[in-house]
Amino acid sequence: MDTVIRAERAVIGGEIRSAAIGILRGLIRLVGRVDGQYRAASEVVLPSTAVLMPGLVDSHVHIDEPGTDWEGFATATAAAAAAGITTLVDMPLDSDPVTTSAAALAAKRAAAQGNCQVTVGYWGGVVPDNIDNLEELALAGVLGFKCFLADSGNPNFPPLRPAEFYRAMSRIAALGSVLLVHAESDHTLAQSPAARGCSYSSFLRSRPDAAEVDAVSLVLDAARATGARAHIVHVSSAQVLPLIAAAKRAGVAVTAETCPHYLTFAADDIPAGATEFAVCPPIRRGDNRQQLWTALSDGVLDMVVSDHSPCAPEAKGDGDFGRVFGGISSLQLGPRVVWTRARMRGFTLVDVCRWMAEAPAALAGLTDRGRIAVGTRADFCVFDPDAESVAHADALHHRHAITPYDGTTLRGAVLATWLGGRRVRAGTSESAELWPLSSLLGLDS
């Protein structure tokens, strides 16, 4: 072995137990007894405070490069490494060009080259003009596709009308891929009052639960009709949960995610003018939040991802929710935020790893990561679950120091992040060569 890691506590096979992990050429080759005798070039014994977890996977991140100053590969992947996240999948929306063609994907990869501290993959975008050309993106290496059913906020990434969405789902089924859907109804939003002023309640009324219900109903109907895999991103409304649960029981190929901000904040508590909380769909009320936690426990919601959606400070407006760009910056904090709240509700790190490593990896088809098992990548997060500290926006690696978590006390600390069998740190990596981090088509490191 190149390295053996000994851990008194490790998340393996749905439980926390002691283990020795043997690594050779970036892969896990052995999961054995913690006190076993193994030949290795080096050995690492983790402190008793640590839990060895699989490297976390965030399948919903807006890196926004090339073409904007909102976020970049260097800053986003540094933040991920600091959070114990070893794989990101980038959304196709907020870069220039948007990732709706093979040429645009090539531009993304060029921007990422030499600037990534963790592994990065890509979703391809589906817009009305490229529905018949999705195979080009699939062959170029995207891990799946993303579309909107309402205005995305970017004129270069228009939404799909219902007939176009059905056609796109048919193409996705033929490709054997997956379509991630921003499920808010354009029709319902158009009939809702526009947000204005400093009151968060105005923003909440502008994006009602009905918008999610209408759009999720369309997604589920199309998945039934076409047999395509659908994934509903950033579920915020508990009113869609019975629809998703019924579809899953009926065998519809659908998965769904929620985000740390929906599990943490409540509309009732958001101060006037606090536009750093603006996100689409919106943060809803406290009773709604509890139902999202229950849906995670029941398996109706499959995973928790950041939807890290940063922007330049000026795009967050002057406290007027009618003039704000929606999006929450949280990549570096997400795992600790979720653990803080999950622990209070009786969940364990086994649950967190299922939601934030195994399920997102499976969504993206990355079956070689997201769990600790022989044959998987030696990507790890070494985590102290009992540590506690206060989050400060200006101490994060994100390009812009804006986050609603500023000043929040969080549980847990990332003691080390391992990528491909080597320890890495936010900002630097070990001098030894990283074993092949670009071996899977479509991923860059």
Side-chain angles (χ1 to χ4, degrees), residues 9-28:
R9 294 185 291 172
V11 178
I12 300 173
E15 62 178 347
I16 298 177
R17 62 181 178 87
S18 64
I21 310 298
I23 302 165
L24 178 64
R25 295 195 172 188
L27 298 178
I28 298 172

Side-chain angles (χ1 to χ4, degrees), residues 106-372:
K108 271 275 184 187
R109 286 182 171 148
Q113 187 66 35
N115 291 312
C116 295
Q117 296 184 32
V118 301
T119 307
V120 178
Y122 307 94
W123 301 117
V126 182
V127 294
D129 289 344
N130 79 339
I131 293 173
D132 295 325
N133 299 310
L134 300 183
E135 186 175 8
E136 173 191 86
L137 272 166
L139 291 173
V142 298
L143 301 177
F145 297 87
K146 164 75 178 292
C147 73
F148 279 72
L149 297 178
D151 182 10
S152 71
N154 185 341
N156 296 318
F157 204 106
L160 301 181
R161 295 184 292 272
E164 293 167 334
F165 179 69
Y166 267 84
R167 187 155 60 93
M169 285 285 277
S170 295
R171 296 295 304 138
I172 294 297
L175 290 170
S177 190
V178 61
L179 184 56
L180 284 64
V181 188
H182 181 121
E184 288 184 285
S185 163
D186 202 40
H187 174 73
T188 302
L189 295 178
Q191 295 181 325
S192 303
R196 57 171 54 89
C198 65
S199 172
Y200 186 80
S201 61
S202 172
F203 184 74
L204 187 59
R205 286 192 298 270
S206 74
R207 308 190 85 92
D209 295 86
E212 284 192 71
V213 172
D214 290 351
V216 168
S217 298
L218 173 64
V219 173
L220 298 176
D221 288 346
R224 288 188 194 94
T226 64
R229 283 176 61 208
H231 177 74
I232 301 166
V233 300
H234 49 45
V235 170
S236 84
S237 173
Q239 292 186 22
V240 308
L241 299 174
L243 304 178
I244 297 170
K248 287 188 170 189
R249 288 194 298 268
V252 176
V254 62
T255 50
E257 70 189 36
T258 193
C259 304
H261 39 275
Y262 301 128
L263 297 170
T264 299
F265 302 120
D268 322 66
D269 303 325
I270 296 175
T275 50
E276 64 270 24
F277 289 88
V279 63
C280 302
I283 295 163
R284 302 192 189 276
R285 302 194 183 281
D287 56 344
N288 180 95
R289 175 181 58 192
Q290 181 53 48
Q291 291 178 71
L292 296 179
W293 279 106
T294 300
L296 277 172
S297 178
D298 295 344
V300 176
L301 294 174
D302 300 273
M303 64 195 73
V304 184
V305 294
S306 69
D307 188 14
H308 177 65
S309 189
C311 63
E314 56 269 20
K316 275 301 180 185
D318 55 359
D320 187 336
F321 283 97
R323 294 199 294 266
V324 66
F325 180 86
I328 284 180
S329 185
S330 63
L331 178 58
Q332 188 169 332
L333 299 172
R336 293 169 58 211
V337 167
V338 172
W339 172 236
T340 299
R341 295 290 175 167
R343 179 174 178 158
M344 292 166 55
R345 288 167 169 78
F347 295 105
T348 72
L349 286 176
V350 172
D351 300 302
V352 173
C353 290
R354 184 176 67 254
W355 301 331
M356 303 191 79
E358 187 171 5
L363 171 68
L366 302 175
T367 57
D368 63 342
R369 68 199 70 197
R371 55 199 172 88
I372 297 175

